[in-house]
Amino acid sequence: MKVPRPTIPTIDDLKRGLREIRWNLDIFVFIQLVVVLTIFILFLIVPLFRITFNAFIYGGSLSLRWFVEVFTDPYYFSPRIVFTETFPYIAVEGISGSLINVIKRPTDTGVETIILLVGYDLGVIPNTVLVAVMTTVFSTIIGFVFAFIFARYKFPGSEALRIILLAPLLSTPFVGAIGLKKMLTSEGVINTLFYDILGIMPFKIEPSGLMAVVLVQTLIFYPIIFLNAYTAIISIDPTMEEQAENLGASGFHLFRTVTLPLSLPGVEAGALLVFILSLEDLGTPIVFTGTNAEKVLTYQIFRRMFTPTGYISGEATALAMILLAMSIIIFLAIRKYVSLRRYAMLTKGGIWRPRTRKLSLKVSLLVYVVAFFTLFLALQPHIGVVLLAFAGEWGPTLLPGYFTLENFYTLFRDAAVFRSITNSLTYSITAMGLIIVLGVSAAYLVSRVKIPGIEALDALVTLPIAIPGIVIATGFFLLFLKTPLDPIINGAPLLIISYTVRKFPFTVRAVFAGFEQVDKALEESAINLGANRARVFFTIALPLVVLNILAGSMLSFIYSMSEVSTGIVIGDANHDTAPMTWKMYDILFKGLEGGLFVPAAMGFVLMTLQFIMIVGSNLLLRKRATALIGV
Amino acid sequence: MVKIKAVDIVKRFGKFTALRGISVDIRDGEFFTFLGPSGCGKTTFLRCIAGFEMVDQGRIYFDDEDITYLPAYKRNTGMVFQNYALWPHMTVYDNIAYGLKVRKVPKEEIDKKVKEVLKLVHLEGMEKRTPHQLSGGQQQRVALARALVINPRVLLLDEPLSNLDAKLRLEMRAELKRLQKQLGITTIYVTHDQEEAMSISDRMAVMDVGVIKQVGTPEEIYLRPKDPFVADFIGQGTFIHGQVLEEEDGRLVVELESGLGKVEAIPSDPTNKPRIGERVLIAIRPESFEVGVKDKLNLFDVSIYHVSFLGDRKRIQAEANGVKFIVELEPTVNVEIGKRIRISVPPKSTLAIRMG
């Protein structure tokens, strides 16, 4: 009987494998790979493993105890199934709160009715999911409807309106939400304007708690869907719709069978991103502390570790693990959809005239009204921030008492505030430098080097999108206390690293897109003429993507400046080395002098920076796109 | 200048095998073309020579030096890419000087060499231009100058003329050949355009699905195809299957399928003759046919279904027993669609090709 011989790789096979690796991995690429991998493993993967380790250890041994405790505690997970005597013999208990609360309050002139939008409270874990789901659904509806209107119809002012609708992309931590809070309370601008002054609302409306979080997040995040859906719809080959019309489809049937399915992949990718952003948002719940808005995962983890004594409870790490698991699942879904998305482009390349129609006057008016109302709501945070930044004092009136530049002087006069701003600038610029070096290397590797497993590197460097900042902060604390990187001694190193790792994907994406547009033959012809890889990289590859690098790093810089989660956690460990966002938090919530006005001025500065950087990077990339055509 | 030897080259991309054992000898100073349909592996082979792809098996030699695993940047080959691959961020001068700077040639010598090579390609005074200020033909010349200026051991050309319009293509073709002969540089040329390959090459290799079907001079390839694929891919022709009945004085008597009778033919490849009883492909070039009976051999009565006037000749498409004939005759010949004519072909132009 023959015994099948196991296939052992022969010496020749091994030699060939080694030769193939050596062929593709010259010393320059090898160094790039090692450096990028080291940074990401040390400051992203190891901290996550450290949290995992902590969450599964109870009393010194391996245990699921923390997870059991979290899931059996009604505070974290309140719905309970109970059996009853009467039909249907089963019921769910433990859900508190209600959708709305009606309050009647006596005033000088009579009684006013305030409708409070509250929302149900199901416990921390279901709340987190529920808030993310509602935010995603509402932003998708608003974003998609607007995208469809602006992609398909032309009416006077539609271009300008389309750009203004993207304004909420300029977000300022805390202050935006505070601006909105100021606008939406029963004494806020909206109620004052529409109820007290104009009298066109029969009652006052005030969102509160979790519903307020959903509202704020929706208004901040809908532009992401809007952008994605708009791009998807205008890149549908018009002949596809024309073919369907030619075959007799029209109106809603055409939309449902052709337009919607073709634009869906883009919308889905955007919606999943919004879901992750909602999950990891810490700034908004902090603003609404004191209500059930506290009962979301980010805030709970934050509260449990905001005492940097060095001790982080297993409970907090278990919560962090749950949050991490949620966002990673969504991240994997995004990666699936983003690759699926390519089918939208399968038809043909090139630029075509999108199908647009003129709107009748009546419908135009309707669009104006809806768009202006949404804009009015969406711009509340920004209007609020601007008004507050220039306000001297602001009681329960429509506008501030008087306007002043005093708040901006304070930014320079108050040593602690000024130091936090220079700290933020230093960290963000340093991080930007690191991001450029690492990000360009990573983008080059993923785009150019053919070795097995290089896709894993791509996944690794985009992973930070999916890791909530509060989780990274937790991991850093667990890992680096009592090391030379201890945030209590000096927060700077860890903040720079955190900014670098977290805001890395923006640059990598931009630079990767650049490399993909550059014909590989441009580099091969240099190699052919005798240049080694390093020389090709610096003389050919880099100069050709320099605008992408600039655009990408501008985005990374500005998102570092406005980073919240790790900024306030690590910042609180050592106030002297804390960044701007921590100082804003500090002034707002510790009842210090300056109240709302100084943080608003800081927010205004951030907003201005964001505006410049986003417009600048868009201009750069657009110019590049045309500059390369025809060569 | 070198001679190039490739021995049994195999290249796989995942599960797809692009090259299935390519062996070829290219002589010193020769203009050698790889011709084949897209996807046949000709560009892959060129990239293996340049060092952009690592071969999975086999050896490549420049003269006696084994360069199989030598990195691309150490091979000293000059390659011209299909889309020229000029660097848009550099001037013409910087593009051409790049390879010299890499070689640490002194500044004055670079200036001198760039001037010389620009003169060679008729682009004097264009140093300061950037690539997008040049026409397609000029870009092509810069790419050629950039490859030549480093004095490469081999010149590699990857469909360099395919982006030019028809008139310019003819001019550049002549120009390329002139330069190559003037410099005496061993040149490998890759194209899918058979007319281009025939007119420019000293020798050529016809490739299909990762193997070389035939190597030879253009005349040999056209007049003596060794393989049904080569006969079909190069030029036009009438193809009829048949079986060898007997052999006499180097002539074969072949019984044609489709009831078209017997023909006398010669083996297309005298070194590899079909045996008696073997199934062969009979190939006849359009211009080999004659009208009117001169012999009792190799006669066909065909009915004409299409006639096109090509100026110097008439091309006739005709049919007999389901076999299609392509016949080219004098333009003065009187033929009409729907009519039957009798055509014949001399045995020396009736090629019997062994199947696969």
Side-chain angles (χ1 to χ4, degrees):
Chain A
M1 205 177 94
K2 266 190 182 170
V3 180
R5 237 185 305 171
T7 49
I8 302 165
T10 61
I11 299 290
D12 272 1
D13 287 341
L14 288 176
K15 265 190 188 161
R16 193 174 305 153
L18 269 175
R19 191 181 286 140
E20 185 141 10
I21 289 173
R22 221 175 50 204
W23 179 272
N24 289 307
L25 261 193
D26 50 283
I27 184 74
F28 179 70
V29 172
F30 181 72
I31 291 171
Q32 285 183 317
L33 187 64
V34 168
V35 172
V36 172
L37 277 182
T38 311
I39 300 279
F40 272 81
I41 289 173
L42 194 58
F43 296 109
L44 188 69
I45 303 300
V46 175
L48 295 184
F49 273 109
R50 186 65 186 76
I51 297 175
T52 315
F53 176 76
N54 224 54
F56 286 100
I57 293 293
Y58 187 86
S61 60
L62 208 60
S63 158
L64 282 175
R65 176 72 181 268
W66 291 118
F67 292 94
V68 174
E69 277 196 6
V70 164
F71 277 100
T72 48
D73 184 341
Y75 186 77
Y76 294 119
F77 200 95
S78 37
R80 294 281 176 274
I81 291 171
V82 289
F83 298 97
T84 54
E85 298 285 308
T86 53
F87 186 78
Y89 309 109
I90 193 165
V92 178
E93 277 183 359
I95 297 174
S96 56
S98 61
L99 206 54
I100 53 170
N101 253 351
V102 182
I103 299 171
K104 296 213 185 281
R105 197 163 63 182
T107 59
D108 306 340
T109 51
V111 179
E112 63 178 12
T113 311
I114 300 172
I115 295 191
L116 277 179
L117 300 171
V118 191
Y120 294 102
D121 178 1
L122 308 176
V124 170
I125 295 168
N127 283 351
T128 307
V129 178
L130 204 62
V131 166
V133 168
M134 287 170 80
T135 298
T136 308
V137 169
F138 293 149
S139 346
T140 305
I141 293 170
I142 297 177
F144 190 82
V145 168
F146 276 126
F148 186 76
I149 292 173
F150 284 93
R152 282 286 180 259
Y153 299 100
K154 281 275 165 286
F155 46 90
S158 53
E159 267 310 284
L161 211 55
R162 184 174 69 82
I163 292 164
I164 302 174
L165 273 170
L166 291 175
L169 281 179
L170 313 174
S171 71
T172 49
F174 308 122
V175 198
I178 284 181
L180 200 60
K181 195 177 175 188
K182 175 86 187 149
M183 290 290 183
L184 294 177
T185 54
S186 54
E187 273 80 44
V189 174
I190 292 194
N191 283 318
T192 311
L193 185 64
F194 290 107
Y195 182 85
D196 293 334
I197 300 179
L198 297 175
I200 52 176
M201 287 203 306
F203 43 75
K204 289 185 169 182
I205 295 180
E206 182 180 346
S208 123
L210 291 168
M211 286 306 283
V213 174
V214 171
L215 181 72
V216 171
Q217 288 182 347
T218 303
L219 290 178
I220 296 174
F221 296 145
Y222 84 84
I224 294 172
I225 311 271
F226 178 58
L227 264 183
N228 269 284
Y230 181 79
T231 318
I233 294 173
I234 62 165
S235 31
I236 293 175
D237 183 345
T239 57
M240 300 232 158
E241 290 187 356
E242 281 158 10
Q243 176 72 75
E245 278 179 349
N246 174 254
L247 295 171
S250 68
F252 186 69
H253 188 257
L254 173 70
F255 173 78
R256 191 176 56 81
T257 53
V258 179
T259 319
L260 183 66
L262 283 177
S263 56
L264 217 49
V267 178
E268 280 166 344
L272 291 169
L273 185 60
V274 167
F275 197 94
I276 287 187
L277 291 174
S278 168
L279 281 183
E280 74 146 4
D281 182 21
L282 172 62
T284 313
I286 286 183
V287 170
F288 291 95
T289 43
T291 68
N292 61 11
E294 286 181 2
K295 292 182 76 176
V296 291
L297 278 168
T298 43
Y299 186 81
Q300 292 301 320
I301 302 166
F302 170 68
R303 206 183 64 186
R304 270 160 191 72
M305 64 171 303
F306 206 53
T307 48
T309 50
Y311 175 73
I312 290 169
S313 71
E315 199 180 3
T317 53
L319 292 175
M321 283 291 296
I322 294 166
L323 183 61
L324 182 65
M326 287 180 189
S327 40
I328 292 215
I329 288 168
I330 303 294
F331 172 73
L332 293 176
I334 289 188
R335 284 188 67 84
K336 191 170 158 251
Y337 274 115
V338 169
S339 59
L340 269 183
R341 198 178 159 173
R342 290 191 182 161
Y343 87 76
M345 304 171 206
L346 256 183
T347 52
K348 62 171 184 186
I351 297 160
W352 44 71
R353 277 169 56 83
R355 285 156 56 99
T356 50
R357 269 161 267 170
K358 285 232 162 72
L359 273 185
S360 67
L361 186 66
K362 238 193 234 166
V363 189
S364 290
L365 279 177
L366 185 70
V367 172
Y368 283 135
V369 171
V370 176
F372 275 122
F373 183 71
T374 312
L375 260 183
F376 185 69
L377 270 180
L379 290 181
Q380 288 310 314
H382 307 80
I383 299 171
V385 168
V386 174
L387 289 178
L388 280 167
F390 291 96
E393 49 94 17
W394 199 351
T397 52
L398 186 60
L399 290 173
Y402 62 94
F403 291 103
T404 171
L405 285 174
E406 192 57 33
N407 304 323
F408 290 95
Y409 298 145
T410 311
L411 300 187
F412 297 96
R413 233 180 273 138
D414 183 322
V417 172
F418 188 70
R419 192 176 54 222
S420 78
I421 296 175
T422 53
N423 280 348
S424 268
L425 282 170
T426 315
Y427 303 159
S428 301
I429 289 170
T430 315
M432 186 172 79
L434 288 171
I435 288 175
I436 290 175
V437 174
L438 296 170
V440 172
S441 295
Y444 186 73
L445 289 168
V446 173
S447 158
R448 289 291 188 266
V449 178
K450 294 176 289 181
I451 50 169
I454 202 76
E455 304 83 15
L457 183 74
D458 183 34
L460 183 66
V461 296
T462 38
L463 185 65
I465 292 177
I467 315 267
I470 191 73
V471 174
I472 292 195
T474 312
F476 278 6
F477 258 93
L478 285 170
L479 201 60
F480 295 114
L481 278 177
K482 301 191 175 71
T483 70
L485 294 179
D486 192 333
I488 295 173
I489 300 166
N490 185 348
L494 278 188
L495 281 168
I496 291 170
I497 290 166
S498 149
Y499 292 171
T500 305
V501 172
R502 293 203 66 206
K503 307 306 175 187
F504 191 80
F506 296 100
T507 302
V508 177
R509 283 281 140 223
V511 179
F512 181 75
F515 280 131
E516 291 294 288
Q517 281 169 10
V518 172
D519 187 351
K520 285 188 178 74
L522 290 176
E523 284 157 62
E524 284 175 347
S525 57
I527 293 174
N528 179 251
L529 293 173
N532 59 23
R533 184 88 81 154
R535 187 167 189 135
V536 175
F537 181 79
F538 287 112
T539 59
I540 309 291
L542 267 195
L544 290 175
V545 297
V546 72
L547 289 179
N548 293 71
I549 297 173
L550 212 57
S553 52
M554 279 164 103
L555 292 182
S556 287
F557 169 76
I558 192 59
Y559 289 126
S560 297
M561 287 293 290
S562 39
E563 200 271 358
V564 174
S565 320
T566 54
I568 57 178
V569 175
I570 295 173
D572 206 56
N574 183 333
H575 297 179
D576 290 338
T577 57
M580 197 171 164
T581 40
W582 174 82
K583 193 65 198 167
M584 290 162 88
Y585 167 84
D586 191 49
I587 300 175
L588 284 169
F589 302 104
K590 292 192 181 158
L592 296 177
E593 204 182 329
L596 286 176
F597 303 119
V598 171
M602 294 163 92
F604 184 81
V605 171
L606 274 181
M607 234 161 71
T608 315
L609 272 178
Q610 275 179 337
F611 181 77
I612 296 169
M613 297 287 174
I614 289 175
V615 170
S617 72
N618 275 336
L619 286 180
L620 280 180
L621 283 182
R622 199 166 307 149
K623 213 173 155 197
R624 175 206 157 74
T626 51
L628 273 187
I629 291 171
V631 176
Chain B
M1 310 305 130
V2 291
K3 58 176 192 287
I4 299 162
K5 186 183 182 66
V7 185
D8 199 25
I9 300 297
V10 174
K11 174 67 193 170
R12 296 183 201 90
F13 294 106
K15 280 179 189 158
F16 172 70
T17 308
L19 301 175
R20 304 159 181 267
I22 299 286
S23 296
V24 69
D25 280 291
I26 297 168
R27 295 168 196 148
D28 190 355
E30 188 170 40
F31 199 116
F32 194 95
T33 300
F34 284 86
L35 173 69
S38 53
C40 72
K42 54 190 192 300
T43 295
T44 304
F45 183 70
L46 192 75
R47 293 173 59 81
C48 288
I49 299 284
F52 296 133
E53 307 290 349
M54 190 185 88
V55 301
D56 292 311
Q57 208 178 293
R59 293 271 154 193
I60 303 171
Y61 301 91
F62 283 1
D63 285 337
D64 295 324
E65 183 191 352
D66 183 346
I67 57 134
T68 314
Y69 299 113
L70 191 70
Y73 71 95
K74 290 183 181 165
R75 291 193 183 192
N76 198 20
T77 63
M79 181 151 171
V80 176
F81 290 78
Q82 188 169 3
N83 54 4
Y84 322 134
L86 297 181
W87 301 303
H89 61 299
M90 294 185 193
T91 61
V92 167
Y93 178 91
D94 290 330
N95 264 280
I96 297 175
Y98 191 90
L100 299 172
K101 284 181 187 159
V102 171
R103 285 167 175 71
K104 299 197 167 60
V105 174
K107 178 86 177 75
E108 308 81 59
E109 212 181 321
I110 293 182
D111 283 346
K112 197 171 130 252
K113 286 197 166 175
V114 171
K115 244 197 172 82
E116 277 173 17
V117 79
L118 277 174
K119 196 170 168 207
L120 192 68
V121 298
H122 303 311
L123 283 179
E124 294 99 326
M126 297 277 195
E127 288 93 337
K128 295 265 160 43
R129 305 269 184 103
T130 54
H132 67 262
Q133 292 173 312
L134 302 177
S135 69
Q138 289 171 328
Q139 291 185 14
Q140 162 85 77
R141 288 160 196 267
V142 175
L144 190 60
R146 186 176 67 180
L148 288 175
V149 78
I150 59 167
N151 199 12
R153 294 195 278 186
V154 196
L155 184 60
L156 305 174
L157 305 168
D158 183 9
E159 308 222 12
L161 304 182
S162 61
N163 285 345
L164 301 177
D165 63 51
K167 192 161 168 285
L168 202 54
R169 200 178 310 163
L170 286 180
E171 270 172 39
M172 279 307 295
R173 198 193 281 173
E175 181 81 12
L176 260 181
K177 184 73 179 176
R178 174 186 71 80
L179 275 173
Q180 192 263 340
K181 281 291 161 251
Q182 185 180 337
L183 301 170
I185 185 171
T186 313
T187 300
I188 303 182
Y189 190 88
V190 158
T191 183
H192 64 270
D193 181 337
Q194 44 148 321
E195 193 203 326
E196 199 168 284
M198 307 275 259
S199 70
I200 206 169
S201 318
D202 294 328
R203 285 195 308 148
M204 55 199 270
V206 182
M207 286 184 72
D208 187 34
V209 291
V211 294
I212 290 182
K213 292 292 191 180
Q214 186 173 353
V215 176
T217 63
E219 288 90 338
E220 283 168 356
I221 302 266
Y222 186 78
L223 298 174
R224 294 280 178 267
K226 288 179 179 178
D227 177 282
F229 173 81
V230 177
D232 190 20
F233 187 72
I234 303 287
Q236 299 211 318
T238 301
F239 303 102
I240 317 164
H241 289 288
Q243 195 174 21
V244 181
L245 296 181
E246 50 190 287
E247 188 198 341
E248 197 181 314
D249 300 338
R251 288 205 177 177
L252 305 168
V253 177
V254 177
E255 171 85 49
L256 297 179
E257 291 170 11
S258 326
L260 285 171
K262 290 176 195 170
V263 289
E264 275 192 24
I266 56 161
S268 188
D269 180 5
T271 60
N272 187 16
K273 292 182 191 166
R275 292 190 200 94
I276 290 170
E278 194 176 322
R279 197 163 175 261
V280 291
L281 184 74
I282 294 296
I284 306 162
R285 293 295 178 203
E287 64 276 11
S288 304
F289 286 104
E290 296 162 358
V291 255
V293 191
K294 292 178 182 167
D295 204 337
K296 284 179 194 160
L297 285 167
N298 300 5
L299 293 177
F300 302 99
D301 288 311
V302 295
S303 43
I304 301 169
Y305 66 86
H306 188 78
V307 178
S308 35
F309 179 66
L310 301 177
D312 55 341
R313 59 199 192 278
K314 263 184 187 159
R315 176 176 297 155
I316 295 154
Q317 277 157 280
E319 181 264 347
N321 290 5
V323 175
K324 279 179 186 155
F325 284 74
I326 298 177
V327 180
E328 284 178 9
L329 299 171
E330 296 285 298
T332 51
V333 152
N334 187 18
V335 285
E336 271 174 55
I337 291 174
K339 277 198 169 176
R340 291 177 72 83
I341 54 167
R342 171 164 292 186
I343 51 176
S344 66
V345 57
K348 67 173 170 50
S349 303
T350 309
L351 306 175
I353 301 167
R354 299 188 69 174
M355 304 296 294

